[in-house]
Amino acid sequence: LFLLIENPLSLLLEYMGPISFPTSITYLGNHYAFISSRLNKQLLIKLEDQHTGDSTSPFVTLIHQYDNVGPIVDFEVLDLKMQGQCEIISCSGHGRNSELKVIGKG
């Protein structure tokens, strides 16, 4: 995530912190933003006025992340615990954001 500040005399691009590949970014007010992604986790973040002290995410605080099971590339239905209750093992995501996920009932 980068902050772009325009000025008639200059242009400043500053690294704020990492986020998922966004499908959309929605500003919610009071420095909160929701990052939606169809390829990875959705994030609720807070944009900080001052440096957080974290070199990997200097101006962004992660408030909550929401799992996303899409897009499902492949899946298998298995009874992993041998208890008669099947679960779905999915290969989800895209590229470096791919994950194996266990999706169960409940």
Side-chain angles (χ1 to χ4, degrees):
L1 181 62
F2 288 89
L3 176 64
L4 186 64
I5 301 171
E6 293 186 49
N7 181 319
L9 301 176
S10 66
L11 181 66
L12 173 67
L13 185 66
E14 187 164 342
Y15 178 74
M16 295 181 65
I19 61 169
S20 306
F21 294 119
T23 301
S24 69
I25 301 173
T26 305
Y27 182 70
L28 303 173
N30 290 336
H31 301 277
Y32 288 92
F34 184 76
I35 313 297
S36 67
S37 174
R38 63 183 186 89
L39 300 176
N40 202 2
K41 296 175 172 74
Q42 278 70 242
L43 305 174
L44 177 61
I45 62 170
K46 183 173 184 189
L47 303 170
E48 303 293 348
D49 291 334
Q50 297 181 0
H51 200 288
T52 62
D54 182 358
S55 62
T56 61
S57 187
F59 292 97
V60 175
T61 300
L62 177 64
I63 303 300
H64 197 345
Q65 72 182 23
Y66 304 90
D67 284 335
N68 180 5
V69 295
I72 295 177
V73 178
D74 196 7
F75 72 94
E76 187 73 35
V77 178
L78 300 170
D79 184 4
L80 294 174
K81 298 175 185 170
M82 306 296 251
Q83 296 177 346
Q85 189 171 7
C86 292
E87 297 173 308
I88 298 172
I89 311 300
S90 73
C91 177
S92 301
H94 178 73
R96 68 180 177 97
N97 295 314
S98 297
E99 297 177 325
L100 288 175
K101 297 182 181 182
V102 179
I103 305 167
K105 182 180 177 184

